[in-house]
Amino acid sequence: MTASADIVPQRQTIQGSDGKDYWVENHVDPSALKASQDAARGIGTRPEYLVVWAGDENVADTAVPQVKKLPGSLAKPLDTVRNAAPGPDFMAVIDATKGSPTYGKVVNTATVGPLVENEPHHMQYAWHKGNKIFAGGLFTAATYVFDVSKLPALGLSGISLPTQTACGSVPDAYWVTKDGNAYGTYMGGPIAPGPCRYTNGEVRSGNGFAGAPGEVVRFDPTGKKIVEAPAATTTPEDPKQCLNLPALSNPTCANPHGIQVREDLRTMVTSDYAEPRTIILDPVKAPSPNLRRTTVRTWDISDPDHPEVRSVKYLPVGPRSGAEDPLHNENRAVMETTVTNQPGNKGAFAMTMQGGAIYYTADMTAKDPVWREVYDLTAAVKQIDPKADTGSGLNGGWLQTSPDDKTLYHAVMGRQPGSLGKDDKGTAGGVIALDISKLVGAGVNATCSIETTAQETDPGPGCPTLRSALPINPGETAGGPHWGALDNLELGQDGFYRETENPTRLSTANYFVARTGLDGDHRVCMVDIAKDGDMSLDRDFKDEVTGEPCVDFNRANWPHGPFGNAKPHSQLFVTADGDIK
């Protein structure tokens, strides 16, 4: 694909809190714009899009694997560098309309500026009519707010700069509430070391940018900060499990990553992943396992603008713990959490990236919730990669309950060779679907708990069971999906989209963070979900350049120009406001 001469860039500029101009520049394919306009007049099918938050790949991304192989890599110091100079980060808008002649085509790239090297990371977990899209820059500590009401073009509604969220850094994920405001997790510590005063007057001491403790920020739909809320408690947390570098007088594991909310239950759940400094700023040195967290926090959001931590729980160790590198104990590196959705259900799940396990609490509203391991990825790993024998270190990521609370979806990148020792050949990645109907249906009487080695492969009655497993990158290692999104939209007989509780497809994005040494193959795939829950790769969702299934972000040209490879981290199914009821 080449940048079309017919594409006329359209730039929209807003002023940031620092008085400088920030922009989004659309590069819309004219044929896509015409198709959208025709559909609005009743000609053809109204379009649905997949919007993908992607970063430009450059020398810093491709050189890290070489640096990690010192001293041998010094002989050819830059032999695998693909893109040298930084280019603009962007939101890719892909035609996701089933049956469309341009299904899978990138119909717009909305570039952002003047900031580069944002390392685009997560957005919210699902889009609903009228929502703005909140998208974070991992390295720049910026939060962008996009207006998608006039797709395929995007607008910029606001930007939050680091000086506006001084008590946190390294923004990760977001949750948009029904009023249009959003919560965002800032995994890293304050932008400057020392005490930091939060919006409500509380003070916590931190060890600086990308350190600890992190926070939760509440934004309005223009990106204006409503509140910064501390994730750390006033009392010290376990100093052994909550290592901080440099050390803090009050040790803390407060590095919130995943975030999900039940407004009806006045409860928010966040999962602590890691003190990110040693991962994203120093990828060569192996960090202590105790810099990867084992904690989950529940929050009281009775006053939505003043969230308060209700509980901090350390996930229990499992039967594999102690048998391998502590980095791969079941409870290590709690990356994501997801809540149940239906009234009457109060359960929530959490997963561990290096630990390869899934945990569950039957009542997230409890003052002292009990978390138990309910699934070990060892039970599913052979369905993704026949040569694998353990779920340890599978690098799990996206975790999401279906709207009807019957299925739990989970993406895994796979394991890098050598992760479990010199003879470890690594594993491929993929996505699994678990039947959770019995576990959730048991309510507070759920008894599932993995405590023995035998339960790693056979969890027992009442526990999740494997409904489907789909390898995404068979034959490769650690190149599978880190992220995913369920398509919560369906086309009605009247030609308009509506939300559905029975998604028939999902999308995956195969990229983590290159500068950690864990990259991915940079493909965005579409997965069909059959009525019986079986998943299959949608081979009609093809790359417009290669003709192969999945959209490949490793390409020479984009609508915004010849900037080369890009890194797709997260995505959402979206349609223009005028096309949904």
Side-chain angles (χ1 to χ4, degrees):
M1 183 191 75
T2 58
S4 172
D6 296 331
I7 293 177
V8 179
Q10 298 289 329
R11 178 176 291 193
Q12 178 223 337
T13 302
I14 63 172
Q15 190 176 76
S17 61
D18 58 359
K20 297 179 180 179
D21 287 341
Y22 295 85
W23 65 79
V24 61
E25 186 169 276
N26 287 280
H27 305 81
V28 181
D29 186 311
S31 62
L33 186 60
K34 182 179 184 301
S36 177
Q37 293 169 342
D38 286 347
R41 295 194 296 267
I43 305 171
T45 302
R46 294 177 184 271
E48 182 179 4
Y49 301 102
L50 192 68
V51 293
V52 183
W53 186 215
D56 177 73
E57 182 186 73
N58 58 70
V59 63
D61 301 307
T62 56
V64 164
Q66 291 179 303
V67 176
K68 290 173 73 72
K69 296 177 183 178
L70 289 173
S73 60
L74 290 176
K76 297 180 180 180
L78 296 176
D79 63 346
T80 60
V81 169
R82 295 185 287 261
N83 300 335
D89 299 323
F90 60 95
M91 195 77 80
V93 181
I94 302 174
D95 184 352
T97 316
K98 282 265 192 181
S100 166
T102 55
Y103 188 47
K105 181 178 180 179
V106 178
V107 298
N108 179 24
T109 49
T111 57
V112 295
L115 295 178
V116 293
E117 298 288 293
N118 288 278
E119 187 62 31
H121 208 57
H122 294 306
M123 303 180 279
Q124 62 259 46
Y125 295 80
W127 176 85
H128 307 283
K129 181 182 179 181
N131 281 177
K132 300 293 176 63
I133 288 182
F134 292 77
L138 202 67
F139 294 166
T140 57
T143 290
Y144 294 83
V145 185
F146 293 101
D147 182 346
V148 293
S149 62
K150 297 179 180 179
L151 282 170
L154 281 77
L156 187 60
S157 297
I159 184 171
S160 174
L161 300 171
T163 51
Q164 296 167 260
T165 53
C167 291
S169 57
V170 192
D172 190 86
Y174 303 85
W175 186 278
V176 179
T177 47
K178 292 178 180 178
D179 57 8
N181 296 330
Y183 293 109
T185 52
Y186 277 55
M187 185 166 47
I191 58 175
C196 195
R197 185 175 298 276
Y198 296 80
T199 309
N200 61 4
E202 291 188 68
V203 175
R204 304 285 190 275
S205 287
N207 57 16
F209 187 93
E215 65 175 358
V216 167
V217 182
R218 177 88 158 149
F219 294 105
D220 77 4
T222 67
K224 181 181 178 182
K225 180 188 72 178
I226 298 173
V227 66
E228 287 182 273
T233 57
T234 55
T235 55
E237 297 175 30
D238 185 340
K240 181 177 180 181
Q241 296 193 65
C242 302
L243 182 65
N244 303 118
L245 292 178
L248 293 169
S249 57
N250 273 12
T252 180
C253 280
N255 295 109
H257 184 282
I259 179 171
Q260 295 213 0
V261 173
R262 280 287 296 271
E263 291 185 70
D264 59 328
L265 299 180
R266 300 183 177 89
T267 298
M268 177 167 68
V269 185
T270 62
S271 48
D272 297 316
Y273 172 55
E275 190 172 86
R277 175 185 290 119
T278 53
I279 300 174
I280 64 174
L281 301 182
D282 189 7
V284 177
K285 182 174 61 180
S288 164
N290 290 322
L291 288 166
R292 307 286 177 101
R293 307 310 189 196
T294 63
T295 45
V296 180
R297 294 165 201 267
T298 55
W299 302 64
D300 183 347
I301 55 169
S302 298
D303 181 347
D305 292 343
H306 294 88
E308 296 182 349
V309 174
R310 178 189 292 143
S311 73
V312 180
K313 300 295 292 187
Y314 299 86
L315 297 183
V317 296
R320 285 193 280 105
S321 295
E324 300 171 344
D325 181 345
L327 179 62
H328 299 106
N329 286 351
E330 287 95 331
N331 61 348
R332 189 67 64 186
V334 194
M335 175 166 277
E336 282 300 314
T337 184
T338 187
V339 297
T340 50
N341 306 289
Q342 295 294 313
N345 294 336
K346 297 181 180 181
F349 294 86
M351 53 67 58
T352 53
M353 183 178 183
Q354 272 71 47
I358 295 173
Y359 290 78
Y360 180 70
T361 181
D363 187 359
M364 71 181 89
T365 68
K367 184 177 180 180
D368 187 29
V370 176
W371 290 85
R372 297 187 178 97
E373 183 185 352
V374 295
Y375 197 81
D376 191 307
L377 291 184
T378 301
V381 68
K382 283 189 178 296
Q383 303 300 315
I384 296 175
D385 190 338
K387 71 176 183 294
D389 59 3
T390 177
S392 177
L394 274 190
N395 292 309
W398 176 66
L399 186 76
Q400 186 64 54
T401 50
S402 60
D404 61 6
D405 291 343
K406 294 181 180 179
T407 307
L408 181 67
Y409 296 95
H410 185 29
V412 294
M413 290 196 75
R415 189 170 61 244
Q416 295 167 295
S419 297
L420 301 182
K422 64 179 182 179
D423 296 327
D424 178 23
K425 296 180 180 180
T427 71
V431 61
I432 63 172
L434 300 177
D435 184 341
I436 55 171
S437 55
K438 290 182 178 179
L439 177 67
V440 174
V444 295
N445 297 315
T447 58
C448 174
S449 181
I450 293 179
E451 298 173 357
T452 67
T453 302
Q455 289 176 306
E456 292 175 14
T457 53
D458 183 12
C463 292
T465 57
L466 186 65
R467 178 167 279 162
S468 182
L470 178 67
I472 296 292
N473 61 331
E476 300 179 22
T477 56
H482 165 67
W483 208 246
L486 285 171
D487 184 3
N488 60 322
L489 307 175
E490 66 176 1
L491 192 63
Q493 292 184 349
D494 60 357
F496 288 87
Y497 290 92
R498 291 172 174 79
E499 293 201 36
T500 176
E501 289 193 352
N502 299 289
T504 58
R505 62 179 180 169
L506 59 85
S507 171
T508 64
N510 305 356
Y511 171 71
F512 183 56
V513 180
R515 270 168 257 187
T516 66
L518 183 61
D519 192 339
D521 67 11
H522 299 188
R523 291 187 303 155
V524 171
C525 300
M526 195 72 75
V527 175
D528 288 324
I529 306 170
K531 289 184 178 181
D532 63 1
D534 189 50
M535 297 183 296
S536 60
L537 188 67
D538 181 352
R539 297 189 174 277
D540 292 329
F541 189 73
K542 297 178 181 179
D543 185 88
E544 62 198 276
V545 179
T546 67
E548 296 295 320
C550 304
V551 176
D552 195 341
F553 276 59
N554 287 344
R555 57 178 67 187
N557 295 288
W558 295 94
H560 61 280
F563 287 94
N565 296 353
K567 308 169 296 182
H569 193 92
S570 59
Q571 71 271 59
L572 288 169
F573 288 91
V574 183
T575 190
D577 276 3
D579 295 333
I580 185 172
K581 289 185 175 179

